Amino acid sequence: QVRLVESGGGLVPAGGSLRLSCVASRSIFRSPVMAWYRQAPGSQRERVAGIGSGRSPSYAASVEGRFTISKDTAKDTVYLQMNSLKPEDTAVYYCYIKFAGDTQAYWGQGTQVTVSS
C-alpha cells in the first residue's frame, strides 16, 4: 500500500517560514505529477504548487514568489518551502502524487499550517 507522510507544519507568525516534507513509500522517480494542495476551513481544496517529471514547477497566483516546490528523488521526498507566510495561508496542506505507471493518484493525511497575525 502506498503511503505519503507529510511533516513540517506548525504555528508561525506572519512573515515567517516553514518547509513541508512529503515522504513517499514508493519511488517518485519519473512521477508525472507531484503537488501540494491546501484546504482552509469552509473552503474548497486548492492546488498550491506542482511539479512533475520533465515539467517546470507551477504555482497558484496567491503563492507565486513566496513558495517553492522541489523534490529529492534519492529520498522519495517532495518539499514545499514557504516564505513570507500570511494569515491567509493558514490551512491543512496535503501532498498529492501520481506515480509513473500507476493510474491512481495518492493523497497524504495532511499537515496543519497556522499563521498568526
Side-chain angles (χ1 to χ4, degrees):
Q1 183 177 358
V2 175
R3 292 187 64 204
L4 304 181
V5 180
E6 298 116 329
S7 62
L11 174 64
V12 62
S17 298
L18 285 173
R19 187 177 81 156
L20 305 183
S21 300
C22 172
V23 181
S25 61
R26 180 187 291 182
S27 172
I28 65 170
F29 182 65
R30 297 180 67 183
S31 290
V33 179
M34 294 167 279
W36 288 93
Y37 286 72
R38 68 186 181 187
Q39 188 167 19
S43 299
Q44 290 188 330
R45 191 170 296 189
E46 64 169 346
R47 183 181 173 114
V48 173
I51 193 171
S53 178
R55 302 180 184 179
S56 299
S58 60
Y59 300 93
S62 59
V63 307
E64 183 82 50
R66 300 188 296 122
F67 290 12
T68 303
I69 188 171
S70 62
K71 60 185 173 73
D72 185 337
T73 54
K75 296 181 179 180
D76 295 322
T77 301
V78 183
Y79 301 99
L80 184 68
Q81 177 67 44
M82 306 186 294
N83 299 327
S84 302
L85 282 161
K86 304 175 181 180
E88 52 263 43
D89 295 319
T90 295
V92 178
Y93 283 71
Y94 297 91
C95 179
Y96 172 92
I97 297 179
K98 188 177 186 306
F99 296 91
D102 194 337
T103 57
Q104 181 179 348
Y106 299 87
W107 292 93
Q109 81 287 353
T111 185
Q112 177 71 46
V113 171
T114 303
V115 184
S116 61
S117 57

